[in-house]
Amino acid sequence: MITTVRILIVDDDPAAIEALEHALAGLGELCCATGGAQALALMADDPVDLVLLDANMPDLDGFATCHSIKQEYPDIPVIFVTAFGDEVHEVRALKAGAVDFVHKPIKPPVVRARVGVHLRLNALNAELRALSGRDALTGIANRRALDNQLVLEWRRAARQRQPLGLLMIDIDHFKRYNDYYGHVRGDDCLRQVAQVLAAMANRAGDLVARYGGEEFAVLLAGSNLEGAGTLAGKICAAVRALAIPHVHSAVAPYVTVSIGVASGVPAIDPTRQGANATSQSAANAAPVLQRVQVLLARADRALYAAKAAGRDRVCVEAPATAVES
Ligand SMILES: [Mg+2]
């Protein structure tokens, strides 16, 4: 698969940006920012594959910018471009998360070669991450990938004041299915349900994951309770329409699912606002994960309510629950 990489050049000096643009011409799509805050805003809108970062900038300098980038996008390589030649600054940049250095004035072939090396390494890393984030049986995302994506989408939703919807889905009486039809047919059933989910939640920002056993989760960026509930109803109907025989289900003579729906607009984290967002961001990682767990727990409660009400149905959490996340 051929994809164009996107490289972000950050420097407060337009002449330095121009020199780097010449050096990197043809390696990918180049975009630029003249300050740290602008760079972060640009990345929030459309993530990039690699960042070249000037160390010495007014306001948010390269070190603080790098720290923020690493908090939000730990996998994006950052190369420092610096006039500082001393080891103190080099160590400081590496500690802030940089993968490499180039020195000013730049030597175009050297910059180009180094950027090429890091793009190749990054592509390999992305491949490994994709493999480690995939469920081997169904080919959809696994729980680890879901957890990572939940944190990213949660932060995006907080920035953009958008809701984040979540479905928890369970195949009804699946243990009885496995006991009667055997594990080979059971695995096939899981694959078929996973395919239905992947086909129905396919917008950018949607993620379908196997949560464990016969349980699936669907992350729906931008979906409120109503939107997420509507999709859940369609998924229920689509699984029913597969008409996979299940003679020992207490619900229907074929395979059905129960779905719990939750949604919330994440509260903006005040410590992430403004130019000195970096100082607090390390401390914020855990709370985001905890708040994401709350959303998962709410969808799970709704799922149990759907089961308690007779299975083969959708239960949407009470709107009051959804106000604060
Ligand atoms: Mg500068």
Side-chain angles (χ1 to χ4, degrees), residues 93-174:
L94 289 170
K95 281 189 172 162
V99 292
D100 205 354
F101 284 95
V102 291
H103 291 284
K104 283 182 177 178
I106 61 156
K107 299 185 185 89
V110 174
V111 179
R112 199 180 167 82
R114 289 196 180 225
V115 167
V117 165
H118 288 291
L119 285 174
R120 280 195 295 281
L121 282 174
N122 201 39
L124 285 172
N125 279 333
E127 223 168 282
L128 283 175
R129 280 196 301 275
L131 285 173
S132 66
R134 206 170 297 155
D135 173 55
L137 177 69
T138 59
I140 61 174
N142 61 19
R143 187 163 172 170
R144 182 192 331 191
L146 175 75
D147 284 343
N148 290 340
Q149 191 73 11
L150 262 170
V151 170
L152 287 179
E153 291 298 341
W154 183 275
R155 288 188 173 141
R156 195 198 311 269
R159 275 197 308 271
Q160 299 178 350
R161 318 270 13 225
Q162 290 287 317
L164 191 60
L166 186 68
L167 313 183
M168 290 296 285
I169 302 166
D170 196 66
I171 301 179
D172 297 322
H173 297 301
F174 188 68

Side-chain angles (χ1 to χ4, degrees), residues 25-280:
L27 277 189
E29 181 193 334
L30 305 178
C31 51
C32 57
T34 52
Q38 192 194 354
L40 290 166
L42 201 144
M43 292 175 78
D45 283 343
D46 200 356
V48 301
D49 298 286
L50 184 140
V51 180
L52 283 149
L53 187 58
D54 179 25
N56 190 17
M57 296 186 294
D59 301 326
L60 203 59
D61 72 4
F63 303 99
T65 305
C66 186
H67 200 81
S68 285
I69 291 173
K70 286 285 135 184
Q71 284 298 323
E72 199 88 358
Y73 316 98
D75 303 325
I76 298 177
V78 176
I79 300 176
F80 263 72
V81 185
T82 173
F84 300 125
D86 59 290
E87 60 194 59
V88 173
H89 282 94
E90 293 208 3
V91 169
R92 208 179 143 205
L94 289 170
K95 281 189 172 162
V99 292
D100 205 354
F101 284 95
V102 291
H103 291 284
K104 283 182 177 178
I106 61 156
K107 299 185 185 89
V110 174
V111 179
R112 199 180 167 82
R114 289 196 180 225
V115 167
V117 165
H118 288 291
L119 285 174
R120 280 195 295 281
L121 282 174
N122 201 39
L124 285 172
N125 279 333
E127 223 168 282
L128 283 175
R129 280 196 301 275
L131 285 173
S132 66
R134 206 170 297 155
D135 173 55
L137 177 69
T138 59
I140 61 174
N142 61 19
R143 187 163 172 170
R144 182 192 331 191
L146 175 75
D147 284 343
N148 290 340
Q149 191 73 11
L150 262 170
V151 170
L152 287 179
E153 291 298 341
W154 183 275
R155 288 188 173 141
R156 195 198 311 269
R159 275 197 308 271
Q160 299 178 350
R161 318 270 13 225
Q162 290 287 317
L164 191 60
L166 186 68
L167 313 183
M168 290 296 285
I169 302 166
D170 196 66
I171 301 179
D172 297 322
H173 297 301
F174 188 68
K175 188 182 178 304
R176 294 183 194 174
Y177 188 95
N178 260 341
D179 288 348
Y180 183 69
Y181 294 101
H183 286 276
V184 174
R185 296 271 299 272
D187 287 353
D188 194 47
C189 174
L190 289 170
R191 275 191 288 262
Q192 286 191 67
V193 171
Q195 274 169 22
V196 164
L197 299 180
M200 300 197 67
N202 58 2
R203 302 168 312 165
D206 291 351
L207 182 86
V208 174
R210 185 166 174 214
Y211 199 67
E214 70 275 22
E215 210 165 43
F216 298 88
V218 179
L219 176 63
L220 300 164
S223 288
N224 58 16
L225 276 181
E226 196 189 349
T230 302
L231 180 69
K234 289 180 181 166
I235 288 172
C236 253
V239 171
R240 237 177 269 135
L242 287 173
I244 304 169
H246 188 352
V247 294
H248 287 288
S249 169
V251 183
Y254 40 81
V255 168
T256 56
V257 292
S258 299
I259 305 183
V261 182
S263 174
V265 179
I268 288 198
D269 190 334
T271 56
R272 292 189 67 83
Q273 300 242 283
N276 50 18
T278 51
S279 54
Q280 292 290 325

Side-chain angles (χ1 to χ4, degrees), residues 292-305:
V292 161
Q293 297 297 334
V294 170
L295 184 67
L296 278 165
R298 279 166 33 198
D300 214 36
R301 268 201 300 277
L303 170 61
Y304 274 87

